[in-house]
Amino acid sequence: MDAYLIAIAIIGALYVLLALGLNLQYGLTGIVNFGHVGFFCVGAYTTAILCEHGVPMVVTFPLAALLAMLAAWPLGLVSIRLREDYFAIVSLGFSEVVRLVATSERWLTNGVQGIAGIPKMFGMLTGTPQALAVLGLLVVLNLIAIAAMWRIVRSPFGRMIEAIRDNEEAVKALGKDPAGFKIQVLVLGAGLAGIAGAVYARYIGFIAPEQFVPLMTFQIWMAIIMGGVGRISGALVGAVILMFFLEGSRFLRDLLPFISEVSMASVRLGVVGLALILFTMYRPQGLMGDFTRK
């Protein structure tokens, strides 16, 4: 049971890292990014491929973040010319293109069979100590990300991106260039997703294209909506709430024995969807949002 709880905590910490990046893009800047899982995929595959060639972890992690950021740069250029709804569609298409590349380019990614045997982190440890070491690393990475977000929010850069979120036309009237700020924000958020993908690949030890479907992006959206859009604490609390529903719903099988194992997956997804609907109706600003607003 302890190993199970540690594993849940690790996945939850990965969701926090992803939620922080998406919260920077949408919560603070207003960029509707439906392709966040694409950067996560880039980071995971970068790490897996480099590990196959014996590159150490201290090198693969920065490179995973760098390649994810480079992948976000052209997407940011596209965002200059598109409205929010159209960019959301383009970003979703981007994540699917990344997944299709991972599926078709067998010479690089081994196609649908995925990459197995990825060396796990802290190989000198085994079992629970190793899992705790991974969790400790994720806690440190999240603390660094939270501290960086805190500095960004309280900096002139943070005030500018919040102004872009609230009224982009007014920012243009003041002689500022929203496009440049949007590109920077997309790149920063993608870097966090790339690092999360790197840790995920080294923790799981196996990656395949079907692990990076759009559903993961929408789960991160659920987290920041339930936690509180635009709040750093909202990303943290929202990821915890999401994991509670995703993992807690597994035990519905004990309460509903007449439901088959195949149907239970749909029931679990329905439980998470119902929770999101209730939050949207009764707490639209999120659990950590402004309590003075209704």
Side-chain angles (χ1 to χ4, degrees):
M1 189 64 173
D2 291 340
Y4 172 74
L5 293 176
I6 295 172
I8 297 305
I10 290 173
I11 300 300
L14 285 171
Y15 273 114
V16 171
L17 205 55
L18 288 166
L20 286 170
L22 187 59
N23 192 52
L24 175 64
Q25 294 169 350
Y26 176 68
L28 297 179
T29 317
I31 300 173
V32 183
N33 178 13
F34 284 171
H36 204 47
V37 70
F39 307 122
F40 183 67
C41 181
V42 170
Y45 269 97
T46 299
T47 298
I49 294 168
L50 292 176
C51 285
E52 283 188 321
H53 294 83
V55 180
M57 183 178 73
V58 294
V59 178
T60 59
F61 277 29
L63 286 177
L66 178 61
L67 286 181
M69 294 166 76
L70 288 175
W73 182 70
L75 190 62
L77 294 177
V78 172
S79 71
I80 298 174
R81 301 180 179 273
L82 296 176
R83 292 202 319 243
E84 291 180 358
D85 46 355
Y86 291 106
F87 177 73
I89 297 171
V90 170
S91 61
L92 178 60
F94 161 80
S95 69
E96 284 298 276
V97 168
V98 171
R99 190 168 66 88
L100 288 175
V101 169
T103 302
S104 59
E105 300 300 321
R106 297 190 61 183
W107 63 275
L108 182 65
T109 64
N110 202 30
V112 295
Q113 296 179 353
I115 301 176
I118 303 171
K120 294 196 174 184
M121 293 180 289
F122 309 107
M124 73 292 296
L125 303 173
T126 58
T128 301
Q130 184 183 44
L132 286 173
V134 175
L135 180 59
L137 174 63
L138 279 170
V139 169
V140 171
L141 290 174
N142 275 300
L143 289 175
I144 294 173
I146 290 171
M149 292 275 288
W150 187 270
R151 292 292 300 272
I152 287 174
V153 169
R154 280 154 179 75
S155 68
F157 179 82
R159 290 189 288 272
M160 178 57 64
I161 61 176
E162 288 182 345
I164 293 172
R165 175 198 63 192
D166 295 335
N167 194 329
E168 185 173 340
E169 295 303 320
V171 172
K172 290 180 181 178
L174 293 173
K176 301 296 182 179
D177 179 23
F181 289 96
K182 285 185 175 181
I183 293 173
Q184 293 178 59
V185 167
L186 271 171
V187 167
L188 290 173
L192 288 177
I195 293 175
V199 177
Y200 176 79
R202 293 295 300 267
Y203 170 65
I204 298 296
F206 169 78
I207 58 172
E210 65 266 16
Q211 294 171 317
F212 305 99
V213 295
L215 177 61
M216 174 171 280
T217 295
F218 296 123
Q219 286 176 342
I220 303 303
W221 272 93
M222 292 178 193
I224 65 172
I225 289 173
M226 291 188 291
V229 173
R231 299 286 182 129
I232 297 175
S233 58
L236 175 61
V237 173
V240 173
I241 296 172
L242 178 66
M243 290 306 299
F244 172 79
F245 283 112
L246 287 177
E247 296 302 321
S249 59
R250 291 181 184 273
F251 300 100
L252 287 175
R253 187 74 176 83
D254 299 330
L255 300 176
L256 305 172
F258 53 88
I259 297 180
S260 66
E261 292 289 347
V262 176
S263 300
M264 184 52 63
S266 300
V267 172
R268 292 177 59 218
L269 189 59
V271 169
V272 178
L274 177 61
L276 181 62
I277 291 172
L278 293 176
F279 266 94
T280 305
M281 291 175 59
Y282 300 107
R283 186 66 186 163
Q285 65 270 45
L287 193 62
M288 302 304 294
D290 187 357
F291 281 84
T292 62
R293 292 173 51 205
K294 295 185 179 180

